[in-house]
């Protein structure tokens, strides 16, 4: 049985076979319906902007919805680019609902008027998440468009007025992280009911901006801050859902995942192809929407039925003959980790976009803590640039050095706890 750290509330970890029995496979789909976008984000993994060549037609999209229903998918989240820039987006929401599935959406929040918000509500959209990355100056810088932060708050005001449930999502990087304690109460007061955050990793545009990335050794200060913010958010009724690249068996795991009931109170391994599905706008199917296209597409809906694609090796890499992938693919520190059997190297997406292969994830809290205790720290340094395509990645070198050494002087965005801004009111919430 995989070992579970004592700081995590007692709960029997599901064995690999138990995990396969307990969930509906591919019950949740994230569907990029267009790559067209009205923002130019520095951290956009899909390098959105112009629509893809040969995106699915309305009729092809309707047929895909039918096949998703047959595959027992229960929720479909529409993303872009910017999903509402596709002309038939409201028709797709209605078709998803008519098929008995729940339709949700993620938006950059730019240019959504109250009439558009009303159309979203009337179409049957269950909820929407607005992407907000820090305070105004930081958000506008990362999103590549001045005024985008104010537009997010205008959009949330419109959602609230028409009765559409909404939350927000955040990319955590060296620019946004220090501002999260100041950002959270602003979005809470705007009416957000949920918050999902994930680390910025080097895919797409973010691969061209390695200076933004939280370094592995910086996770120690980062998670102490996040635990305090998440504890307050959950206590105040804003349900926090951490991304699959967050945490991993550190002392705050149970706090970070306190509301993530589907996965329990601690990380239980990559779910790509198990409980999730990613769809690109031109019909390509992956086990997770974040995974690199070249290595993880199992087929195109134009060429093969969805049921057949779901059985491809690219969508079943987390299973071998009905049992979860073992530890054969692990390397580096992940190979010898005491949680290897359960964790299986953390988020496949994260590891792959750093090293162009999975199996060794440097964004791991328990790993950073163990290395620090041995006076070792890890940093990642770009070795090979990404080619410039949607969902692409470069290759990084992983450097180990004495933790007691001074931090490199040519790194002005270096994240530490001293850079975090705690506005008045936070003294009521304990540090960890």
């Amino acid at each position: 049985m995989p070992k579970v750290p004592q700081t995590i509330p007692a709960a029997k970890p599901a064995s690999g076979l138990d995990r396969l029995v307990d969930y509906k496979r591919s019950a949740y789909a994230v569907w990029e319906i267009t790559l067209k976008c009205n923002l130019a984000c520095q951290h956009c993994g899909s390098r959105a902007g112009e629509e893809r060549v040969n995106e699915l037609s309305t009729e092809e999209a309707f047929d895909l919805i039918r096949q998703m229903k047959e595959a027992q998918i229960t929720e479909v989240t529409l993303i872009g680019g910017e999903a509402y820039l596709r002309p038939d987006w409201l028709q797709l929401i209605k078709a998803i609902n008519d098929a008995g599935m729940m339709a949700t959406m993620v938006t950059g929040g730019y240019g959504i008027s109250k009439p558009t918000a009303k159309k979203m509500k009337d179409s049957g959209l269950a909820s929407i998440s607005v992407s907000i990355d820090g305070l105004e100056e930081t958000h506008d810088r990362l999103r590549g468009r001045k005024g985008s932060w104010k537009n997010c708050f205008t959009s949330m005001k419109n959602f609230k007025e028409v009765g559409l449930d909404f939350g927000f999502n955040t990319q955590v990087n060296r620019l946004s992280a220090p501002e999260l304690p100041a950002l959270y109460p602003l979005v809470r007061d705007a009416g957000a009911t949920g918050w999902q955050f994930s680390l910025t990793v080097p895919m797409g545009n973010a691969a061209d901006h390695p200076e933004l990335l939280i370094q592995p050794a910086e996770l120690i200060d980062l998670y102490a801050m996040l635990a305090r913010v998440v504890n307050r958010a959950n206590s105040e009724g804003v349900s926090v859902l951490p991304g699959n690249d967050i945490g991993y068996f550190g002392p705050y795991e149970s706090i970070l995942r306190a509301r993530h009931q589907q996965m329990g109170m601690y990380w239980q391994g990559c779910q790509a192809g198990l409980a999730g599905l990613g769809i690109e706008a031109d019909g390509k199917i992956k086990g997770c929407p974040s995974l690199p296209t070249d290595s993880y597409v199992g087929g195109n809906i134009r060429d093969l039925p969805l049921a057949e694609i779901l059985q491809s090796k690219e969508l079943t890499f987390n299973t071998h003959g009905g049992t979860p992938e073992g530890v054969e693919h692990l390397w580096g520190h992940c190979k010898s980790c005491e949680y290897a059997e359960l964790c299986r190297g953390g988020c496949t997406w994260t590891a792959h976009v750093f090293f162009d292969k999975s199996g060794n994830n440097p964004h791991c809290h328990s790993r950073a803590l163990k290395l620090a205790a041995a006076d070792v720290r890890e940093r990642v340094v770009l070795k090979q640039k990404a080619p410039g395509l949607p969902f692409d990645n470069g290759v990084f070198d992983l450097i180990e050095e004495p933790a007691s050494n001074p931090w490199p002087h040519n790194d002005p965005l270096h994240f530490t706890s001293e850079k975090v801004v705690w506005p008045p009111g936070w003294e009521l919430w304990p540090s960890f």
Side-chain angles (χ1 to χ4, degrees), residues 119-327:
K119 289 178 183 177
M120 290 176 171
K121 174 68 175 177
D122 292 345
S123 72
L125 192 68
S127 64
I128 190 166
S129 181
V130 183
S131 300
I132 308 178
D133 297 323
L135 299 178
E136 184 172 3
E137 182 178 350
T138 294
H139 176 95
D140 286 0
R141 173 180 171 181
L142 287 169
R143 293 279 160 179
R145 186 158 187 173
K146 190 172 178 60
S148 58
W149 192 83
K150 289 180 178 177
N151 261 260
C152 286
F153 280 83
T154 298
S155 295
M156 290 189 292
K157 178 176 180 290
N158 293 334
F159 297 149
K160 186 173 183 179
E161 289 181 355
V162 303
L164 178 60
D165 184 55
F166 67 92
F168 72 115
N169 58 84
T170 301
Q171 287 265 329
V172 180
N173 52 56
R174 287 162 138 200
L175 292 179
S176 65
E179 299 176 355
L180 297 187
L183 174 66
Y184 159 70
L186 297 178
V187 187
R188 175 205 62 197
D189 292 348
T193 59
W195 184 19
Q196 183 171 34
F197 54 80
S198 61
L199 300 178
T200 297
V201 299
M203 170 179 274
N205 289 347
D208 303 335
H209 295 282
E211 73 280 0
L212 296 177
L213 306 177
I214 294 288
Q215 287 285 347
E218 296 171 342
L219 294 173
I220 297 172
D221 281 359
L222 176 73
Y223 283 126
M225 178 271 288
L226 279 180
R228 187 178 181 187
V229 176
V230 169
N231 184 47
R232 179 177 182 178
N234 280 332
S235 299
E236 294 179 341
V238 178
S239 184
V240 179
L241 183 69
N244 290 337
D245 58 357
I246 294 293
Y248 310 147
F249 310 110
Y252 313 127
E253 184 82 353
S254 61
I255 296 171
L256 296 172
R257 301 188 187 281
R259 295 295 180 93
H260 197 347
Q261 297 303 317
Q262 185 180 7
M263 293 183 68
M265 303 297 284
Y266 52 88
W267 170 250
Q268 295 188 49
C270 175
Q271 298 296 299
L274 297 178
L277 189 68
I279 306 167
E280 296 185 2
D282 56 2
K284 296 187 186 77
I285 307 294
K286 303 182 287 190
C288 167
S290 299
L291 289 170
T293 299
D294 287 347
S295 301
Y296 294 96
V297 166
N300 193 304
I301 199 68
R302 286 177 165 138
D303 304 322
L304 297 169
L306 179 60
E308 186 172 336
I309 297 173
L310 289 175
Q311 303 305 315
S312 66
K313 64 181 178 64
E314 291 85 0
L315 272 77
T316 58
F317 69 89
N318 274 317
T319 67
H320 289 311
T323 60
E325 182 178 44
V327 297

Side-chain angles (χ1 to χ4, degrees), residues 8 34 36 42 117 124 126 129 190 226 247 264 272 275 279 285 305 309 317 322 326 343 363 400 407-408:
I8 295 174
T34 183
K36 188 175 183 179
Q42 291 186 31
S129 181
L226 279 180
I279 306 167
I285 307 294
I309 297 173
F317 69 89
C343 181
H363 270 174
E400 284 194 3
W407 194 268

Side-chain angles (χ1 to χ4, degrees), residues 93-111:
I93 294 174
K94 183 178 184 302
I96 291 167
N97 279 301
D98 288 347
M101 298 180 287
M102 179 186 294
T104 55
M105 188 170 167
V106 176
T107 178
Y110 193 92

Side-chain angles (χ1 to χ4, degrees), residues 381-407:
V381 178
L382 183 64
K383 176 174 66 174
Q384 178 182 320
K385 292 184 177 181
L389 302 172
F391 295 105
D392 64 354
N393 61 273
V395 181
F396 284 72
D397 278 330
L398 184 63
I399 297 173
E400 284 194 3
E401 57 195 9
S404 53
N405 281 6
W407 194 268

